[in-house]
Amino acid sequence: MAEKEEVKLLGIWASPFSRRIEMALKLKGVPYEYVEEILEKKSPLLLALNPIHKKVPVLVHNGKTILESLVILEYIDETWKHNPFLPQDPYERAQARFLAKLVDEQILSTGFGSMARADEKGREVLTEQTRELIMNLEKELVGKDFFGGKSVGFLDIVAGSLIPFCLERGWEGMGLEVVTEEKFPEYKRWVKNLEKVEFVKDCIPPREKHVEHMNYMGERIRSA
Amino acid sequence: MADEVILLDLWASMFGMRTRIALAEKKIKYHYREQDIENKSSLLLEMNPVHKKIPVLIHNGKPVCESLIQVEYIDETWPRENPLLPSDPYQRAHAKFWGDFIDKKVNVTARKIWATKGEEKEASKELIEILKTLEAELGEKHYFGGETFGYVDIALIGFYSWFGVYDKFGNMSIESECSKLVAWAKRCLQRESVAKALPESEKVTAFIYQCLGLE
């Protein structure tokens, strides 16, 4: 007997962290109710469900709250067991988690820093550091369509939502080409592969609006 | 085929302690190799080229980096003995949330107490707030995992051996502010895996004094 599933996702249209949850839910074919939050005016529901961090995404599944995007992704994979997106082998899982952490901690930090720093020299240093970090992903993609092999997996969702479909939009808005075809051919090939996948395409923020948004945010922070 | 498990570590690292505890809970035999951070070994640099940090777990020649990732790897590779994470997905997510909280908040703040000049007072207050949040999560439970010692306990317990350092440099007493948490730590120390992994508080304090060139 199938229990009635109630899945709710609190997110923000421009947030790579909530976008990645949408990708995962769509990959699994799980219907959900989406609640759009506003950064500057967080709803009482969000503050009640995530009092510690006060951030999106928040997943509510049959009344239970799950927080932190990487934790939510693993929860989704464990709860809806078909189409698994984490590798089965413990060592490969550890590798995927390691690179996901690299993306969400180091690449996120230097990537956003490369847009947010007020001084140009500071931005250049962070841009170069970001390139070095992305090189780790470049090496991982050799001989593969996706990080997950033949199909989209955990690391594709994590890195895809943050780098090509968020950071790159920010760099585009600033007129910067950070990840070049010449130095990152595997990465470029991977992005083209990702763009062809239905549930990824459906969950990317609309490009023009996103570039404009990233530009606006970047300028605001740089001049603060 | 016999498993070969090597741990590259530093005795005072609260992160390395996590992996030592996990291996001990699972009764895994391993070779412990103390590292010199000032003079990193070629093995460390080869096994963790991205971060060049300890701890590094090497299982049959393959490296696993990042302590909580190692704890989960150990739990998944040797699943039968003493499970470290619950089997229910929601309980697992709950544990991982708190592991992530500990990783994001504790060390970043605690470090400011002894490694900076002028930020100790602010950082001490912040650390107490963080520890109080953890205390609230612990509640009346025996361990963070309930009756079972597990992932969240393992994530946090190593920091207990550093409380002496934070107290000294922060001019405070964590025990008087967070007595329930300290009581939890003492319960954990009853476990052989923890008692063997954690150095004595005085030893850690002396080590930090030495690092900072104080007497």
Side-chain angles (χ1 to χ4, degrees):
Chain A
M1 180 186 74
E3 198 189 285
K4 184 176 180 290
E5 299 271 37
E6 208 184 69
V7 182
K8 188 188 287 201
L9 174 67
L10 277 69
I12 290 175
W13 72 273
S15 163
F17 309 105
S18 60
R19 287 290 180 172
R20 58 175 61 153
I21 307 306
E22 294 195 79
M23 288 176 195
L25 290 169
K26 289 222 152 70
L27 185 161
K28 297 281 186 179
V30 174
Y32 61 97
E33 182 199 336
Y34 178 78
V35 177
E36 179 73 25
E37 288 287 331
I38 299 167
L39 200 65
E40 297 86 358
K41 204 176 165 204
K42 292 170 182 176
S43 73
L45 179 65
L46 173 58
L47 299 175
L49 294 176
N50 193 356
I52 289 178
H53 298 305
K54 305 176 175 48
K55 284 180 172 178
V56 297
V58 176
L59 187 77
V60 188
H61 178 213
N62 293 338
K64 294 174 292 192
T65 305
I66 303 101
L67 306 169
E68 289 302 307
S69 68
L70 298 184
V71 177
I72 298 172
L73 287 176
E74 296 218 17
Y75 174 82
I76 290 171
D77 208 38
E78 289 167 12
T79 302
W80 292 278
K81 296 194 193 336
H82 58 282
N83 298 347
F85 52 74
L86 267 152
Q88 299 298 312
D89 170 68
Y91 184 73
E92 285 176 42
R93 289 161 80 87
Q95 289 309 99
R97 286 171 179 146
F98 175 82
L99 288 171
K101 197 167 190 231
L102 188 80
V103 170
D104 269 11
E105 289 178 13
Q106 279 82 32
I107 294 178
L108 182 153
S109 170
T110 59
F112 280 116
S114 73
M115 297 176 223
R117 283 284 294 259
D119 62 310
E120 190 174 347
K121 185 69 196 173
R123 291 200 300 273
E124 272 170 25
V125 170
L126 289 167
T127 304
E128 194 48 45
Q129 283 176 0
T130 309
R131 285 194 186 102
E132 278 171 38
L133 289 164
I134 295 177
M135 207 29 99
N136 290 293
L137 300 175
E138 176 74 10
K139 291 181 194 156
E140 191 62 28
L141 283 167
V142 173
K144 291 184 191 169
D145 291 339
F146 301 102
F147 290 109
K150 288 253 163 255
S151 57
V152 169
F154 175 77
L155 186 56
D156 297 284
I157 293 173
V158 174
S161 56
L162 187 72
I163 310 173
F165 308 126
C166 180
L167 290 177
E168 287 212 68
R169 269 114 187 256
W171 291 320
E172 186 182 321
M174 291 170 74
L176 290 172
E177 204 195 353
V178 176
V179 193
T180 60
E181 177 77 50
E182 184 199 11
K183 290 219 166 100
F184 299 90
E186 307 294 339
Y187 172 95
K188 290 289 193 189
R189 187 175 54 82
W190 166 69
V191 176
K192 288 201 181 81
N193 289 341
L194 275 181
E195 282 167 343
K196 293 188 195 134
V197 177
E198 203 72 40
F199 63 81
V200 172
K201 236 179 8 175
D202 287 347
C203 298
I204 303 173
R207 194 207 173 102
E208 256 180 66
K209 188 179 173 194
H210 199 194
V211 171
E212 202 186 304
H213 169 83
M214 294 290 287
N215 231 10
Y216 166 72
M217 295 292 276
E219 269 170 25
R220 225 177 68 173
I221 296 171
R222 282 192 298 277
S223 59
Chain B
M1 186 189 79
D3 273 319
E4 192 200 50
V5 182
I6 299 171
L7 180 65
L8 307 182
D9 196 359
L10 185 62
W11 66 271
S13 164
M14 59 288 262
F15 304 104
M17 287 173 214
R18 294 166 168 178
T19 313
R20 283 176 245 159
I21 293 170
L23 288 166
E25 286 285 322
K26 297 283 188 177
K27 302 187 173 43
I28 308 297
K29 292 217 175 339
Y30 65 100
H31 304 280
Y32 178 90
R33 300 221 187 131
E34 187 71 28
Q35 299 299 296
D36 179 357
I37 294 306
E38 305 294 313
N39 207 359
K40 291 177 181 176
S41 68
S42 53
L43 182 63
L44 174 58
L45 298 175
E46 184 195 332
M47 293 286 145
N48 192 356
V50 179
H51 300 303
K52 306 174 175 54
K53 283 181 170 179
I54 55 93
V56 181
L57 182 72
I58 309 171
H59 182 205
N60 294 334
K62 294 189 294 190
V64 179
C65 303
E66 295 299 309
S67 56
L68 288 183
I69 293 177
Q70 290 161 357
V71 172
E72 212 172 343
Y73 174 81
I74 290 165
D75 202 38
E76 290 174 358
T77 304
W78 294 280
R80 271 178 287 273
E81 188 80 43
N82 280 347
L84 305 175
L85 273 157
S87 49
D88 169 68
Y90 175 69
Q91 299 298 334
R92 292 170 75 83
H94 189 84
K96 286 182 194 178
F97 170 83
W98 286 102
D100 175 75
F101 175 84
I102 291 162
D103 259 2
K104 281 193 167 96
K105 301 277 189 183
V106 182
N107 197 46
V108 173
T109 303
R111 252 197 133 249
K112 290 186 192 161
I113 298 174
W114 60 269
T116 65
K117 273 217 159 73
E119 290 184 60
E120 322 81 67
K121 210 167 166 193
E122 183 77 40
S124 301
K125 260 174 62 185
E126 222 184 295
L127 181 66
I128 295 296
E129 285 310 309
I130 291 165
L131 295 178
K132 282 195 150 100
T133 303
L134 287 162
E135 215 175 37
E137 167 56 23
L138 175 68
E140 298 305 313
K141 297 187 296 230
H142 200 68
Y143 297 120
F144 280 92
E147 285 306 304
T148 324
F149 178 80
Y151 184 85
V152 182
D153 305 282
I154 293 174
L156 186 60
I157 191 60
F159 288 96
Y160 179 67
S161 63
W162 284 70
F163 279 11
V165 174
Y166 308 147
D167 278 350
K168 253 213 161 72
F169 286 83
N171 198 22
M172 60 175 171
S173 160
I174 295 175
E175 181 151 19
S176 64
E177 306 255 17
C178 304
S179 57
K180 280 192 162 163
L181 198 67
V182 172
W184 158 82
K186 290 179 178 166
R187 283 197 293 278
C188 291
L189 271 161
Q190 307 269 328
R191 298 183 79 84
E192 197 183 338
S193 63
V194 178
K196 286 212 161 117
L198 262 62
E200 273 166 38
S201 193
E202 293 78 27
K203 200 176 169 200
V204 180
T205 308
F207 171 66
I208 291 303
Y209 266 61
Q210 191 185 42
C211 286
L212 295 174
L214 304 169
E215 73 160 39

